[in-house]
Amino acid sequence: MNNAGQFRDHFRELIEAYALGSLDAEERAAVGAHLATGCEECTRALEDARLLVSQLAYLAPEAAPLDMLRGRLLQTVRAEAAAAKAYTSAISKSAIPLWMWGAVAAVLFFALYNAYEAHSLRETIRKTQEALTAQMELQQESARRLAWAQREALILTDPRSMKIAMSAGTKGMPELQATWHHSMGIVVSGQKLPMPSGNRTLQLWLIPKAPGAKPMPSMTLRPDADGTFDLLVANPPDSPSGTKSLAITEEPAGGSPQPTSTPIWVGAVAGK
Amino acid sequence: MLYRRRSSPNVFLAVLTPSESNEVSPDAALVNRLLQRDVSAFEDLYDRHSRIVYTLVLRILQQASTAEEVVQDVFLHLWRNAAQYDGSRGPFLPWLLTLARNRALDQLRLKSERQRRREEQAEELPPVVAIPDFEGSLDEKRRAKRVRELVALLNPKQKRAIELAYFEGLSHAEIANALQEPLGTVKGWIRNGLLRLKEGLQATS
């Protein structure tokens, strides 16, 4: 027999005592270490020995526990089983069923769709409002232009209006035509006017008849790109009877309270 | 977790092993139901085994009230930790008896030096036996009677040595001291006595 075989036989002799628990600490540790090596023969022997040792229980004088013990145990066990069942039930009840997730998803989708629709609708309304506003502004401008044109037409066509020729002091400059209606205002118009330099503009002045009186400033206007000049002054600062002449100067943008340059056009207002 | 008896090359086991190789033991089936928190399975297991468990524990502790406490503790442990029983490693009753013995010896040796040794042993206990049990060949009363008869045939000191080891958890040295016998003699008695018990049970089967 080799060393391994002797070793195994030595432990085999201790197996029953190991199962019984009667080995001292040193022997017990040695057997435990040997079993830990995976020795199949000793492991099987230990299983047999444990079965054998368990039979020693029958050496004890027979006895029976009181029924009260059974009752106490079952009371405890039933309570724990009920608690476990209640817990399981609570868990399952608290779980959200699949159909509810579907409903939640549908509601969320509906809400998102509604939000998208609402946003689209708001955007459409905003654009419509903007278009409407633009249209209204366009209409107002058209109406204003129409009223202006009508007023201008009345001034120009009314036989009571006074025609004032405004000639230029500089040679080659086109002549302007002013028409003054006593209640509708003054229209000054001309063609092919040169564009004032920079941001400068043309400003109309009413020169009073009263000696020493200062020129009264009126509207400003830059000619169109094609040189057309068409100025309507609805509320002149003075009446034709108090005005000696009309003059137009070139002034900085926004006009001036007093002329800062020599008049380019001047036209005498005939006294009535 | 079903216990299925399997054949073994060991003569002792082969004799005790029923011919059905895949038979599921009633105890293993009940333990399986315990895992589903089946109270009726617990009742059945208690009714089947509480007497022998109480008998063993009372013999160790010698006090009925303490024995009942330990039995209660053992069965509640079973209820709460049924998964600890591995049916593939052996029959249920020896596992349960081993658990009960360890709990009773723990109680007996509470706060003593030997208590620590018992705790070390307890950790590796529940995996009891891998194979057959005696239930397949003998009913409990017959088995108890046969075990007593076989042990009664032993030298009285030999029988006493085995009882001191099993019911009181004494080591070889402690038994030798208690019986005033040489250590080697005590070791031989115990091993020889257990082997004779094993042979007697095999012969009975």
Side-chain angles (χ1 to χ4, degrees), chain A residues 113-157:
Chain A
Y113 177 76
N114 274 351
Y116 171 76
E117 283 292 297
H119 174 75
S120 297
L121 190 59
R122 280 197 300 274
E123 191 65 15
T124 302
I125 291 172
R126 185 183 64 77
K127 286 180 178 173
T128 304
Q129 284 178 334
E130 283 179 0
L132 189 60
T133 303
Q135 189 65 29
M136 288 174 66
E137 287 175 353
L138 192 60
Q139 283 182 343
Q140 287 170 353
E141 178 64 16
S142 297
R144 189 183 66 77
R145 284 178 181 273
L146 180 60
W148 210 250
Q150 287 175 340
R151 187 181 193 116
E152 194 172 298
L154 284 173
I155 293 171
L156 292 174
T157 58

mmCIF file of all heavy atoms in Angstrom, chain A residues 113-157:
data_model
loop_
_atom_site.group_PDB
_atom_site.id
_atom_site.type_symbol
_atom_site.label_atom_id
_atom_site.label_comp_id
_atom_site.label_asym_id
_atom_site.label_seq_id
_atom_site.Cartn_x
_atom_site.Cartn_y
_atom_site.Cartn_z
ATOM 1 N N TYR A 113 -49.518 64.745 -28.995
ATOM 2 C CA TYR A 113 -50.118 65.114 -30.277
ATOM 3 C C TYR A 113 -50.902 66.418 -30.128
ATOM 4 O O TYR A 113 -50.788 67.328 -30.971
ATOM 5 C CB TYR A 113 -51.040 63.990 -30.752
ATOM 6 C CG TYR A 113 -51.764 64.307 -32.035
ATOM 7 C CD1 TYR A 113 -51.095 64.244 -33.263
ATOM 8 C CD2 TYR A 113 -53.108 64.677 -32.018
ATOM 9 C CE1 TYR A 113 -51.758 64.548 -34.444
ATOM 10 C CE2 TYR A 113 -53.767 64.984 -33.207
ATOM 11 C CZ TYR A 113 -53.093 64.919 -34.416
ATOM 12 O OH TYR A 113 -53.740 65.225 -35.580
ATOM 13 N N ASN A 114 -51.652 66.495 -29.011
ATOM 14 C CA ASN A 114 -52.427 67.713 -28.761
ATOM 15 C C ASN A 114 -51.519 68.919 -28.599
ATOM 16 O O ASN A 114 -51.802 70.013 -29.088
ATOM 17 C CB ASN A 114 -53.286 67.544 -27.508
ATOM 18 C CG ASN A 114 -54.610 66.885 -27.836
ATOM 19 O OD1 ASN A 114 -54.939 66.710 -28.999
ATOM 20 N ND2 ASN A 114 -55.360 66.521 -26.824
ATOM 21 N N ALA A 115 -50.411 68.703 -27.873
ATOM 22 C CA ALA A 115 -49.469 69.797 -27.661
ATOM 23 C C ALA A 115 -48.905 70.256 -29.002
ATOM 24 O O ALA A 115 -48.783 71.456 -29.281
ATOM 25 C CB ALA A 115 -48.352 69.349 -26.729
ATOM 26 N N TYR A 116 -48.564 69.245 -29.849
ATOM 27 C CA TYR A 116 -48.026 69.579 -31.166
ATOM 28 C C TYR A 116 -49.071 70.334 -31.992
ATOM 29 O O TYR A 116 -48.764 71.348 -32.625
ATOM 30 C CB TYR A 116 -47.601 68.298 -31.882
ATOM 31 C CG TYR A 116 -47.233 68.515 -33.320
ATOM 32 C CD1 TYR A 116 -46.010 69.088 -33.672
ATOM 33 C CD2 TYR A 116 -48.127 68.166 -34.342
ATOM 34 C CE1 TYR A 116 -45.684 69.300 -35.000
ATOM 35 C CE2 TYR A 116 -47.792 68.381 -35.675
ATOM 36 C CZ TYR A 116 -46.577 68.955 -36.007
ATOM 37 O OH TYR A 116 -46.264 69.176 -37.312
ATOM 38 N N GLU A 117 -50.303 69.819 -31.920
ATOM 39 C CA GLU A 117 -51.381 70.458 -32.667
ATOM 40 C C GLU A 117 -51.627 71.876 -32.169
ATOM 41 O O GLU A 117 -51.823 72.812 -32.950
ATOM 42 C CB GLU A 117 -52.672 69.636 -32.534
ATOM 43 C CG GLU A 117 -52.685 68.397 -33.397
ATOM 44 C CD GLU A 117 -52.757 68.753 -34.889
ATOM 45 O OE1 GLU A 117 -53.754 69.340 -35.296
ATOM 46 O OE2 GLU A 117 -51.793 68.452 -35.615
ATOM 47 N N ALA A 118 -51.603 72.007 -30.813
ATOM 48 C CA ALA A 118 -51.829 73.331 -30.228
ATOM 49 C C ALA A 118 -50.727 74.298 -30.654
ATOM 50 O O ALA A 118 -50.980 75.460 -30.984
ATOM 51 C CB ALA A 118 -51.896 73.225 -28.709
ATOM 52 N N HIS A 119 -49.488 73.764 -30.633
ATOM 53 C CA HIS A 119 -48.361 74.604 -31.047
ATOM 54 C C HIS A 119 -48.519 75.020 -32.509
ATOM 55 O O HIS A 119 -48.338 76.199 -32.850
ATOM 56 C CB HIS A 119 -47.061 73.834 -30.837
ATOM 57 C CG HIS A 119 -45.856 74.556 -31.362
ATOM 58 N ND1 HIS A 119 -45.306 75.639 -30.703
ATOM 59 C CD2 HIS A 119 -45.112 74.381 -32.489
ATOM 60 C CE1 HIS A 119 -44.270 76.090 -31.383
ATOM 61 N NE2 HIS A 119 -44.130 75.347 -32.478
ATOM 62 N N SER A 120 -48.886 74.042 -33.354
ATOM 63 C CA SER A 120 -49.062 74.338 -34.781
ATOM 64 C C SER A 120 -50.176 75.357 -34.967
ATOM 65 O O SER A 120 -50.055 76.297 -35.766
ATOM 66 C CB SER A 120 -49.415 73.056 -35.542
ATOM 67 O OG SER A 120 -48.361 72.145 -35.440
ATOM 68 N N LEU A 121 -51.254 75.166 -34.180
ATOM 69 C CA LEU A 121 -52.385 76.074 -34.293
ATOM 70 C C LEU A 121 -51.999 77.486 -33.861
ATOM 71 O O LEU A 121 -52.337 78.475 -34.522
ATOM 72 C CB LEU A 121 -53.544 75.545 -33.430
ATOM 73 C CG LEU A 121 -54.885 76.233 -33.602
ATOM 74 C CD1 LEU A 121 -55.357 76.144 -35.044
ATOM 75 C CD2 LEU A 121 -55.925 75.627 -32.665
ATOM 76 N N ARG A 122 -51.249 77.526 -32.717
ATOM 77 C CA ARG A 122 -50.806 78.842 -32.240
ATOM 78 C C ARG A 122 -49.919 79.512 -33.284
ATOM 79 O O ARG A 122 -49.992 80.720 -33.529
ATOM 80 C CB ARG A 122 -50.053 78.686 -30.911
ATOM 81 C CG ARG A 122 -50.968 78.535 -29.699
ATOM 82 C CD ARG A 122 -50.205 78.812 -28.403
ATOM 83 N NE ARG A 122 -49.096 77.894 -28.222
ATOM 84 C CZ ARG A 122 -49.197 76.703 -27.655
ATOM 85 N NH1 ARG A 122 -50.375 76.296 -27.205
ATOM 86 N NH2 ARG A 122 -48.154 75.925 -27.525
ATOM 87 N N GLU A 123 -49.060 78.726 -33.911
ATOM 88 C CA GLU A 123 -48.150 79.260 -34.920
ATOM 89 C C GLU A 123 -48.945 79.777 -36.121
ATOM 90 O O GLU A 123 -48.666 80.869 -36.645
ATOM 91 C CB GLU A 123 -47.181 78.150 -35.348
ATOM 92 C CG GLU A 123 -46.012 78.618 -36.192
ATOM 93 C CD GLU A 123 -45.061 79.551 -35.462
ATOM 94 O OE1 GLU A 123 -45.127 79.631 -34.215
ATOM 95 O OE2 GLU A 123 -44.267 80.224 -36.148
ATOM 96 N N THR A 124 -49.954 78.995 -36.493
ATOM 97 C CA THR A 124 -50.795 79.408 -37.626
ATOM 98 C C THR A 124 -51.524 80.702 -37.303
ATOM 99 O O THR A 124 -51.593 81.636 -38.122
ATOM 100 C CB THR A 124 -51.816 78.299 -37.942
ATOM 101 O OG1 THR A 124 -51.105 77.100 -38.223
ATOM 102 C CG2 THR A 124 -52.662 78.660 -39.149
ATOM 103 N N ILE A 125 -52.058 80.740 -36.049
ATOM 104 C CA ILE A 125 -52.788 81.949 -35.626
ATOM 105 C C ILE A 125 -51.850 83.149 -35.622
ATOM 106 O O ILE A 125 -52.190 84.243 -36.086
ATOM 107 C CB ILE A 125 -53.407 81.727 -34.229
ATOM 108 C CG1 ILE A 125 -54.533 80.686 -34.338
ATOM 109 C CG2 ILE A 125 -53.910 83.037 -33.635
ATOM 110 C CD1 ILE A 125 -55.092 80.245 -33.005
ATOM 111 N N ARG A 126 -50.619 82.905 -35.100
ATOM 112 C CA ARG A 126 -49.668 84.017 -35.028
ATOM 113 C C ARG A 126 -49.355 84.541 -36.439
ATOM 114 O O ARG A 126 -49.358 85.760 -36.686
ATOM 115 C CB ARG A 126 -48.381 83.550 -34.344
ATOM 116 C CG ARG A 126 -47.362 84.642 -34.090
ATOM 117 C CD ARG A 126 -46.089 84.083 -33.486
ATOM 118 N NE ARG A 126 -45.406 83.180 -34.395
ATOM 119 C CZ ARG A 126 -44.664 83.568 -35.440
ATOM 120 N NH1 ARG A 126 -44.527 84.864 -35.698
ATOM 121 N NH2 ARG A 126 -44.074 82.692 -36.223
ATOM 122 N N LYS A 127 -49.116 83.583 -37.348
ATOM 123 C CA LYS A 127 -48.783 83.992 -38.717
ATOM 124 C C LYS A 127 -49.965 84.689 -39.374
ATOM 125 O O LYS A 127 -49.806 85.696 -40.095
ATOM 126 C CB LYS A 127 -48.372 82.765 -39.550
ATOM 127 C CG LYS A 127 -46.982 82.264 -39.179
ATOM 128 C CD LYS A 127 -46.608 81.044 -40.015
ATOM 129 C CE LYS A 127 -45.195 80.584 -39.665
ATOM 130 N NZ LYS A 127 -44.857 79.301 -40.321
ATOM 131 N N THR A 128 -51.158 84.154 -39.104
ATOM 132 C CA THR A 128 -52.362 84.770 -39.668
ATOM 133 C C THR A 128 -52.543 86.185 -39.136
ATOM 134 O O THR A 128 -52.884 87.124 -39.873
ATOM 135 C CB THR A 128 -53.592 83.917 -39.318
ATOM 136 O OG1 THR A 128 -53.365 82.592 -39.782
ATOM 137 C CG2 THR A 128 -54.851 84.454 -39.975
ATOM 138 N N GLN A 129 -52.286 86.295 -37.782
ATOM 139 C CA GLN A 129 -52.419 87.621 -37.175
ATOM 140 C C GLN A 129 -51.410 88.590 -37.770
ATOM 141 O O GLN A 129 -51.721 89.756 -38.037
ATOM 142 C CB GLN A 129 -52.238 87.521 -35.654
ATOM 143 C CG GLN A 129 -53.470 86.936 -34.950
ATOM 144 C CD GLN A 129 -53.248 86.793 -33.465
ATOM 145 O OE1 GLN A 129 -52.113 86.657 -33.024
ATOM 146 N NE2 GLN A 129 -54.340 86.814 -32.713
ATOM 147 N N GLU A 130 -50.187 88.085 -37.967
ATOM 148 C CA GLU A 130 -49.154 88.942 -38.557
ATOM 149 C C GLU A 130 -49.557 89.365 -39.969
ATOM 150 O O GLU A 130 -49.421 90.539 -40.341
ATOM 151 C CB GLU A 130 -47.822 88.182 -38.608
ATOM 152 C CG GLU A 130 -47.120 88.104 -37.256
ATOM 153 C CD GLU A 130 -45.824 87.312 -37.350
ATOM 154 O OE1 GLU A 130 -45.487 86.838 -38.459
ATOM 155 O OE2 GLU A 130 -45.162 87.166 -36.322
ATOM 156 N N ALA A 131 -50.058 88.357 -40.733
ATOM 157 C CA ALA A 131 -50.480 88.674 -42.109
ATOM 158 C C ALA A 131 -51.626 89.669 -42.096
ATOM 159 O O ALA A 131 -51.673 90.612 -42.904
ATOM 160 C CB ALA A 131 -50.897 87.379 -42.817
ATOM 161 N N LEU A 132 -52.563 89.449 -41.124
ATOM 162 C CA LEU A 132 -53.714 90.336 -41.018
ATOM 163 C C LEU A 132 -53.280 91.750 -40.655
ATOM 164 O O LEU A 132 -53.752 92.747 -41.222
ATOM 165 C CB LEU A 132 -54.675 89.780 -39.955
ATOM 166 C CG LEU A 132 -56.035 90.445 -39.843
ATOM 167 C CD1 LEU A 132 -56.792 90.323 -41.167
ATOM 168 C CD2 LEU A 132 -56.845 89.837 -38.713
ATOM 169 N N THR A 133 -52.347 91.787 -39.686
ATOM 170 C CA THR A 133 -51.840 93.099 -39.264
ATOM 171 C C THR A 133 -51.169 93.812 -40.438
ATOM 172 O O THR A 133 -51.384 95.011 -40.677
ATOM 173 C CB THR A 133 -50.838 92.917 -38.098
ATOM 174 O OG1 THR A 133 -51.498 92.235 -37.050
ATOM 175 C CG2 THR A 133 -50.320 94.251 -37.605
ATOM 176 N N ALA A 134 -50.334 93.002 -41.165
ATOM 177 C CA ALA A 134 -49.649 93.590 -42.315
ATOM 178 C C ALA A 134 -50.650 94.069 -43.350
ATOM 179 O O ALA A 134 -50.508 95.157 -43.939
ATOM 180 C CB ALA A 134 -48.706 92.563 -42.939
ATOM 181 N N GLN A 135 -51.690 93.238 -43.525
ATOM 182 C CA GLN A 135 -52.716 93.602 -44.486
ATOM 183 C C GLN A 135 -53.445 94.872 -44.059
ATOM 184 O O GLN A 135 -53.703 95.777 -44.880
ATOM 185 C CB GLN A 135 -53.713 92.447 -44.608
ATOM 186 C CG GLN A 135 -54.725 92.591 -45.721
ATOM 187 C CD GLN A 135 -54.065 92.572 -47.100
ATOM 188 O OE1 GLN A 135 -53.018 91.947 -47.282
ATOM 189 N NE2 GLN A 135 -54.648 93.296 -48.049
ATOM 190 N N MET A 136 -53.747 94.919 -42.732
ATOM 191 C CA MET A 136 -54.450 96.103 -42.216
ATOM 192 C C MET A 136 -53.578 97.339 -42.348
ATOM 193 O O MET A 136 -54.052 98.416 -42.727
ATOM 194 C CB MET A 136 -54.843 95.884 -40.751
ATOM 195 C CG MET A 136 -55.982 94.889 -40.577
ATOM 196 S SD MET A 136 -56.308 94.534 -38.838
ATOM 197 C CE MET A 136 -56.898 96.108 -38.271
ATOM 198 N N GLU A 137 -52.271 97.143 -42.025
ATOM 199 C CA GLU A 137 -51.359 98.286 -42.163
ATOM 200 C C GLU A 137 -51.293 98.730 -43.623
ATOM 201 O O GLU A 137 -51.267 99.924 -43.927
ATOM 202 C CB GLU A 137 -49.961 97.896 -41.646
ATOM 203 C CG GLU A 137 -49.892 97.799 -40.126
ATOM 204 C CD GLU A 137 -48.541 97.285 -39.657
ATOM 205 O OE1 GLU A 137 -47.724 96.876 -40.518
ATOM 206 O OE2 GLU A 137 -48.321 97.278 -38.431
ATOM 207 N N LEU A 138 -51.305 97.707 -44.508
ATOM 208 C CA LEU A 138 -51.264 98.019 -45.931
ATOM 209 C C LEU A 138 -52.525 98.762 -46.351
ATOM 210 O O LEU A 138 -52.480 99.770 -47.088
ATOM 211 C CB LEU A 138 -51.142 96.714 -46.729
ATOM 212 C CG LEU A 138 -50.804 96.841 -48.211
ATOM 213 C CD1 LEU A 138 -49.443 97.540 -48.393
ATOM 214 C CD2 LEU A 138 -50.769 95.471 -48.871
ATOM 215 N N GLN A 139 -53.660 98.283 -45.799
ATOM 216 C CA GLN A 139 -54.932 98.933 -46.126
ATOM 217 C C GLN A 139 -54.960 100.366 -45.596
ATOM 218 O O GLN A 139 -55.406 101.307 -46.270
ATOM 219 C CB GLN A 139 -56.091 98.132 -45.529
ATOM 220 C CG GLN A 139 -56.420 96.867 -46.330
ATOM 221 C CD GLN A 139 -57.612 96.122 -45.748
ATOM 222 O OE1 GLN A 139 -57.986 96.367 -44.600
ATOM 223 N NE2 GLN A 139 -58.189 95.231 -46.538
ATOM 224 N N GLN A 140 -54.454 100.472 -44.313
ATOM 225 C CA GLN A 140 -54.438 101.812 -43.715
ATOM 226 C C GLN A 140 -53.559 102.753 -44.524
ATOM 227 O O GLN A 140 -53.882 103.932 -44.764
ATOM 228 C CB GLN A 140 -53.952 101.727 -42.258
ATOM 229 C CG GLN A 140 -54.988 101.110 -41.309
ATOM 230 C CD GLN A 140 -54.396 100.821 -39.939
ATOM 231 O OE1 GLN A 140 -53.204 100.960 -39.738
ATOM 232 N NE2 GLN A 140 -55.262 100.432 -39.011
ATOM 233 N N GLU A 141 -52.401 102.169 -44.930
ATOM 234 C CA GLU A 141 -51.486 102.990 -45.730
ATOM 235 C C GLU A 141 -52.124 103.372 -47.061
ATOM 236 O O GLU A 141 -52.037 104.513 -47.508
ATOM 237 C CB GLU A 141 -50.189 102.185 -45.952
ATOM 238 C CG GLU A 141 -49.157 102.886 -46.811
ATOM 239 C CD GLU A 141 -48.623 104.180 -46.185
ATOM 240 O OE1 GLU A 141 -48.817 104.370 -44.958
ATOM 241 O OE2 GLU A 141 -48.050 105.018 -46.905
ATOM 242 N N SER A 142 -52.819 102.336 -47.620
ATOM 243 C CA SER A 142 -53.501 102.600 -48.900
ATOM 244 C C SER A 142 -54.583 103.654 -48.716
ATOM 245 O O SER A 142 -54.725 104.584 -49.544
ATOM 246 C CB SER A 142 -54.121 101.303 -49.443
ATOM 247 O OG SER A 142 -53.124 100.370 -49.719
ATOM 248 N N ALA A 143 -55.335 103.498 -47.586
ATOM 249 C CA ALA A 143 -56.400 104.457 -47.301
ATOM 250 C C ALA A 143 -55.822 105.848 -47.085
ATOM 251 O O ALA A 143 -56.351 106.865 -47.563
ATOM 252 C CB ALA A 143 -57.194 103.997 -46.065
ATOM 253 N N ARG A 144 -54.682 105.812 -46.313
ATOM 254 C CA ARG A 144 -54.048 107.112 -46.058
ATOM 255 C C ARG A 144 -53.571 107.735 -47.375
ATOM 256 O O ARG A 144 -53.757 108.933 -47.637
ATOM 257 C CB ARG A 144 -52.873 106.908 -45.092
ATOM 258 C CG ARG A 144 -52.250 108.205 -44.579
ATOM 259 C CD ARG A 144 -51.053 107.907 -43.702
ATOM 260 N NE ARG A 144 -49.967 107.303 -44.466
ATOM 261 C CZ ARG A 144 -49.162 108.014 -45.270
ATOM 262 N NH1 ARG A 144 -49.329 109.307 -45.416
ATOM 263 N NH2 ARG A 144 -48.209 107.416 -45.929
ATOM 264 N N ARG A 145 -52.963 106.850 -48.182
ATOM 265 C CA ARG A 145 -52.464 107.338 -49.465
ATOM 266 C C ARG A 145 -53.639 107.827 -50.356
ATOM 267 O O ARG A 145 -53.528 108.860 -51.044
ATOM 268 C CB ARG A 145 -51.706 106.231 -50.206
ATOM 269 C CG ARG A 145 -50.313 105.975 -49.639
ATOM 270 C CD ARG A 145 -49.649 104.822 -50.401
ATOM 271 N NE ARG A 145 -48.329 104.550 -49.864
ATOM 272 C CZ ARG A 145 -47.233 105.183 -50.274
ATOM 273 N NH1 ARG A 145 -47.319 106.116 -51.207
ATOM 274 N NH2 ARG A 145 -46.073 104.909 -49.746
ATOM 275 N N LEU A 146 -54.719 107.027 -50.260
ATOM 276 C CA LEU A 146 -55.891 107.401 -51.059
ATOM 277 C C LEU A 146 -56.458 108.748 -50.613
ATOM 278 O O LEU A 146 -56.747 109.647 -51.428
ATOM 279 C CB LEU A 146 -56.971 106.319 -50.954
ATOM 280 C CG LEU A 146 -58.256 106.567 -51.733
ATOM 281 C CD1 LEU A 146 -57.955 106.694 -53.237
ATOM 282 C CD2 LEU A 146 -59.281 105.474 -51.486
ATOM 283 N N ALA A 147 -56.574 108.859 -49.248
ATOM 284 C CA ALA A 147 -57.096 110.126 -48.710
ATOM 285 C C ALA A 147 -56.176 111.277 -49.080
ATOM 286 O O ALA A 147 -56.621 112.389 -49.417
ATOM 287 C CB ALA A 147 -57.237 110.009 -47.189
ATOM 288 N N TRP A 148 -54.884 110.961 -49.017
ATOM 289 C CA TRP A 148 -53.876 111.978 -49.330
ATOM 290 C C TRP A 148 -53.988 112.376 -50.799
ATOM 291 O O TRP A 148 -53.955 113.570 -51.136
ATOM 292 C CB TRP A 148 -52.486 111.382 -49.001
ATOM 293 C CG TRP A 148 -51.464 112.400 -48.570
ATOM 294 C CD1 TRP A 148 -50.369 112.807 -49.284
ATOM 295 C CD2 TRP A 148 -51.458 113.141 -47.371
ATOM 296 N NE1 TRP A 148 -49.652 113.743 -48.580
ATOM 297 C CE2 TRP A 148 -50.310 113.964 -47.393
ATOM 298 C CE3 TRP A 148 -52.312 113.219 -46.258
ATOM 299 C CZ2 TRP A 148 -50.009 114.836 -46.359
ATOM 300 C CZ3 TRP A 148 -51.953 114.087 -45.265
ATOM 301 C CH2 TRP A 148 -50.840 114.867 -45.299
ATOM 302 N N ALA A 149 -54.152 111.284 -51.602
ATOM 303 C CA ALA A 149 -54.254 111.553 -53.053
ATOM 304 C C ALA A 149 -55.525 112.329 -53.363
ATOM 305 O O ALA A 149 -55.526 113.249 -54.220
ATOM 306 C CB ALA A 149 -54.242 110.234 -53.813
ATOM 307 N N GLN A 150 -56.616 111.953 -52.676
ATOM 308 C CA GLN A 150 -57.882 112.663 -52.894
ATOM 309 C C GLN A 150 -57.745 114.120 -52.476
ATOM 310 O O GLN A 150 -58.204 115.042 -53.172
ATOM 311 C CB GLN A 150 -58.996 111.988 -52.097
ATOM 312 C CG GLN A 150 -59.439 110.652 -52.686
ATOM 313 C CD GLN A 150 -60.459 109.936 -51.827
ATOM 314 O OE1 GLN A 150 -60.562 110.240 -50.616
ATOM 315 N NE2 GLN A 150 -61.207 109.035 -52.427
ATOM 316 N N ARG A 151 -57.081 114.281 -51.305
ATOM 317 C CA ARG A 151 -56.919 115.652 -50.813
ATOM 318 C C ARG A 151 -56.071 116.453 -51.793
ATOM 319 O O ARG A 151 -56.381 117.620 -52.129
ATOM 320 C CB ARG A 151 -56.263 115.614 -49.423
ATOM 321 C CG ARG A 151 -56.193 116.982 -48.748
ATOM 322 C CD ARG A 151 -55.496 116.879 -47.373
ATOM 323 N NE ARG A 151 -55.690 118.081 -46.618
ATOM 324 C CZ ARG A 151 -56.347 118.192 -45.488
ATOM 325 N NH1 ARG A 151 -56.931 117.138 -44.966
ATOM 326 N NH2 ARG A 151 -56.448 119.362 -44.880
ATOM 327 N N GLU A 152 -55.003 115.766 -52.237
ATOM 328 C CA GLU A 152 -54.118 116.449 -53.178
ATOM 329 C C GLU A 152 -54.870 116.786 -54.487
ATOM 330 O O GLU A 152 -54.707 117.891 -55.056
ATOM 331 C CB GLU A 152 -52.922 115.533 -53.463
ATOM 332 C CG GLU A 152 -51.763 116.237 -54.144
ATOM 333 C CD GLU A 152 -50.534 115.330 -54.232
ATOM 334 O OE1 GLU A 152 -50.010 114.918 -53.172
ATOM 335 O OE2 GLU A 152 -50.114 115.012 -55.354
ATOM 336 N N ALA A 153 -55.700 115.797 -54.885
ATOM 337 C CA ALA A 153 -56.466 116.017 -56.117
ATOM 338 C C ALA A 153 -57.427 117.204 -55.964
ATOM 339 O O ALA A 153 -57.601 118.034 -56.893
ATOM 340 C CB ALA A 153 -57.247 114.767 -56.473
ATOM 341 N N LEU A 154 -58.060 117.266 -54.807
ATOM 342 C CA LEU A 154 -58.974 118.381 -54.551
ATOM 343 C C LEU A 154 -58.248 119.720 -54.579
ATOM 344 O O LEU A 154 -58.733 120.716 -55.136
ATOM 345 C CB LEU A 154 -59.674 118.194 -53.184
ATOM 346 C CG LEU A 154 -60.806 117.158 -53.165
ATOM 347 C CD1 LEU A 154 -61.294 116.942 -51.727
ATOM 348 C CD2 LEU A 154 -61.972 117.666 -54.021
ATOM 349 N N ILE A 155 -57.079 119.704 -53.922
ATOM 350 C CA ILE A 155 -56.308 120.952 -53.899
ATOM 351 C C ILE A 155 -55.934 121.368 -55.320
ATOM 352 O O ILE A 155 -56.044 122.534 -55.710
ATOM 353 C CB ILE A 155 -55.048 120.772 -53.030
ATOM 354 C CG1 ILE A 155 -55.429 120.587 -51.556
ATOM 355 C CG2 ILE A 155 -54.083 121.962 -53.197
ATOM 356 C CD1 ILE A 155 -54.270 120.196 -50.647
ATOM 357 N N LEU A 156 -55.501 120.339 -56.078
ATOM 358 C CA LEU A 156 -55.015 120.643 -57.424
ATOM 359 C C LEU A 156 -56.137 121.030 -58.391
ATOM 360 O O LEU A 156 -55.919 121.813 -59.329
ATOM 361 C CB LEU A 156 -54.235 119.434 -57.981
ATOM 362 C CG LEU A 156 -52.903 119.129 -57.282
ATOM 363 C CD1 LEU A 156 -52.287 117.832 -57.817
ATOM 364 C CD2 LEU A 156 -51.904 120.287 -57.474
ATOM 365 N N THR A 157 -57.334 120.456 -58.125
ATOM 366 C CA THR A 157 -58.425 120.693 -59.090
ATOM 367 C C THR A 157 -59.394 121.788 -58.674
ATOM 368 O O THR A 157 -60.190 122.272 -59.499
ATOM 369 C CB THR A 157 -59.211 119.392 -59.301
ATOM 370 O OG1 THR A 157 -59.711 118.949 -58.043
ATOM 371 C CG2 THR A 157 -58.344 118.324 -59.930
#
